[in-house]
Amino acid sequence: MRIKEEIIGKEVIDTSGLIIGKVKDVEVNFETQLMENFIIGKGGSFGGFGMSKNEIIVPYDSIRVIGDKVLLKGEMYETV
């Protein structure tokens, strides 16, 4: 999917200007052909498979705009 390839690697920024990380992957519903979630890497390398503690899932409906960067509709709060 070409659009997915264009999104991976973009910085993700919340409304406060905080850089959350970079898009590591995009989950697509192949039945509806719609993006559902973005997997965001919170620093470090993009290597490996599966989820790690340095990744967060951001639902597509939390995205305000996709351009040079991905802007979120709200702020992200770090949870422990």
Side-chain angles (χ1 to χ4, degrees), residues 25-62:
D25 199 3
V26 179
E27 293 179 347
V28 177
N29 181 323
F30 289 103
E31 289 180 15
T32 63
Q33 297 292 308
L34 297 174
M35 292 183 279
E36 293 187 342
N37 297 302
F38 284 16
I39 309 299
I40 310 301
K42 299 190 306 181
S45 70
F46 281 34
F49 294 98
M51 293 291 294
S52 77
K53 66 180 181 175
N54 291 327
E55 296 174 342
I56 56 174
I57 296 174
V58 175
Y60 181 74
D61 61 0
S62 295

Side-chain angles (χ1 to χ4, degrees), residues 59-75:
Y60 181 74
D61 61 0
S62 295
I63 306 295
R64 178 179 302 248
V65 67
I66 302 170
D68 292 336
K69 300 182 184 306
V70 176
L71 303 179
L72 301 180
K73 291 180 180 176
E75 293 183 19

